[in-house]
Structure formats: structure tokens, C-alpha cells
Amino acid sequence: MTDWDTLRALADDGNEKALERLADLADERDDVETLNELLDEGSDRAGEHLTRRAAAAKDLRELQRISDAGYDEAGDVLNRLLD
């Protein structure tokens, strides 16, 4: 298992797989703040995790925020919930 700091360094150097692994670890830790930071860095995996959480809570505003941050799937989920 690779430690968080190593994954962070790899992600900072542009390694997409490391960025996605960080999102998975943040989700496992229930670390929503880190998931939001990773989403801001362009992590689709963070967007997936955040969208799943927001959809389960039926948090329409959060889904809109995630969509606005660049994860288009959140907009699709939002539209389904609004139908």
C-alpha cells in the first residue's frame, strides 16, 4: 500500500491514477473536504464519490455545485431527481 504523501506527490506531478486513488482513500475516510479539493483539481473519481453522496442525501444544491465544478454526471443526476 502506498502512503498518502507519496500518492499526493505523484498526483501533483500529473499522475491521474494517483489522483484517483487519493479520491478513493478520501472517500473511505469520509473526508469530504479532501474530495472537494480533489474535484477542484479535476478528479472525476472525486466527482463520482461526491455525486453518490449528494444523490443519496437528495442534496440538489450540492449536485449543482459538483456539476458547476466540472463533473457533468452530477448535472445528469440532478436532472433525474428534478424530473
Side-chain angles (χ1 to χ4, degrees):
M1 179 68 161
T2 306
D3 70 33
W4 183 271
D5 292 331
T6 301
L7 288 170
R8 180 75 262 174
L10 290 170
D12 288 346
D13 287 339
N15 186 305
E16 287 293 318
K17 190 150 185 98
L19 186 64
E20 302 311 317
R21 183 65 185 127
L22 284 172
D24 291 341
L25 290 173
D27 185 56
E28 290 171 13
R29 296 177 179 178
D30 291 323
D31 187 349
V32 175
E33 181 178 333
T34 297
L35 284 171
N36 283 312
E37 291 170 7
L38 295 170
L39 176 65
D40 290 343
E41 293 176 32
S43 170
D44 282 344
R45 183 77 49 88
E48 291 173 24
H49 292 307
L50 290 166
T51 297
R52 178 183 42 79
R53 290 167 177 267
K58 294 189 179 10
D59 188 339
L60 304 180
R61 286 183 168 193
E62 179 66 2
L63 287 166
Q64 183 65 58
R65 186 196 68 75
I66 297 165
S67 177
D68 290 346
Y71 187 66
D72 295 334
E73 301 285 329
D76 296 339
V77 172
L78 175 61
N79 287 334
R80 282 195 299 274
L81 289 174
L82 289 172
D83 283 341

